[in-house]
Amino acid sequence: MVLDEAGLDLLFRTARTPERWRDEAVTDDVLHRLYDLVRLGPTSGNGSPARFVFLRTVDNRERLRSTLSEGNVEKVLSAPVTVIVAHDPLFFDRFATLNPEPGLRSWFAADVGLAEETAFRNGTLQGGYLIMAARALGLDVLPVSGFDAYAVEDSFLAGQGWRVNFLVSLGYADGQPERPRAPRLSFDDACMML
């Protein structure tokens, strides 16, 4: 099965970063459906290191204000949901459930650098799945990297030990962006065929 042109448009060609949000809630059901899609994407050894914190209330999103770069404040705080995309550095403790291959847990537990690199890389991959799954469910998506990661961790993740990677605001765009899509690199500029 291959996506038709409308599916490709939805995920890529016509998808745009919203500038404004409609005052329309993202339901709990949609967020559960979203995660049910995200969790199916492949990760190394099925480690599934990504962790997601869905900030649904105005009060919780307001706690982000001081962590955001100035250009992101209004866009993030006005979104119905903002997701903290994080990873669990101790993801390998879940291998008994996710991948009981003998010795796999101890391999990561013995090498902090390997575990952190694997968690970050695969958690980022799962954050990408989140973006695509959200678009597939009809949500508009604003990925955000302009924020103070340490402040977000202190405010939201301290009790978990998770590490923040980036933020994703979700909702329904209020109109189309006024600016044209920014340029992208051509195949020849970004790719090599060997």
Side-chain angles (χ1 to χ4, degrees), residues 75-165:
K75 292 184 280 190
V76 171
L77 297 186
S78 63
V81 175
T82 293
V83 185
I84 300 171
V85 178
H87 62 272
D88 184 354
L90 302 177
F91 71 96
F92 48 82
D93 284 340
R94 299 292 185 116
F95 274 146
T97 301
L98 298 173
N99 186 345
E101 183 178 323
L104 190 58
R105 185 206 173 279
S106 60
W107 187 39
F108 286 101
D111 189 337
V112 173
L114 174 65
E116 177 58 30
E117 180 180 347
T118 301
F120 179 74
R121 180 178 294 132
N122 286 270
T124 303
L125 184 62
Q126 289 181 280
Y129 298 151
L130 178 93
I131 291 168
M132 301 312 291
R135 287 179 173 173
L137 292 174
L139 294 167
D140 292 292
V141 179
L142 171 71
V144 176
S145 63
F147 66 96
D148 181 336
Y150 295 114
V152 170
E153 288 174 4
D154 286 346
S155 186
F156 295 97
L157 306 177
Q160 300 295 326
W162 301 345
R163 304 293 314 275
V164 66
N165 188 335

